[in-house]
Amino acid sequence: MAQDTGHSGNGGRDRSPEEAALSERLGSLDQRLSEFRDRQIKTEQPAGDGGDGAARASAMALGFRLSSELVAGVAVGAGIGWGFDRLLSTSPFGFIVFLLLGFVAGVVNVVRSAGAGQNRRGGS
């Protein structure tokens, strides 16, 4: 069962019995370690994947919700500004002002939503 690892250039002919025993023990240890790693990977995958997947999905849902609130605030502000410019013929000023107001409103909504999420998690 002793394998020639190719470390000694003479093909293992001059190996002492101690080296042969050490090599055999090393091979046995390597085999047991690989079996142990395989068992660890098999037992960790289902538990880690399910819990991690749910946490990742929850985090992605929160991220999409916060980003959509920001984009919606900017889009509504831009739409209102464009409408005021069309009605009052104040062409870029209404658009710029309401775009900035929409951005501020979106950021406030995001901060409010993120803060509410933190308070819920911290209280439970």
Side-chain angles (χ1 to χ4, degrees), residues 45-60:
Q45 278 181 348
D49 189 31
D52 190 33
R56 187 176 303 144
S58 175
M60 284 186 71

Side-chain angles (χ1 to χ4, degrees), residues 33-74:
L33 280 174
S34 65
E35 289 172 3
F36 179 75
R37 285 185 194 126
D38 289 344
R39 279 193 307 249
Q40 281 295 107
I41 290 172
K42 287 177 185 174
T43 58
E44 287 179 359
Q45 278 181 348
D49 189 31
D52 190 33
R56 187 176 303 144
S58 175
M60 284 186 71
L62 179 64
F64 280 130
R65 186 175 64 136
L66 294 177
S67 63
S68 66
E69 286 183 11
L70 179 65
V71 169
V74 172

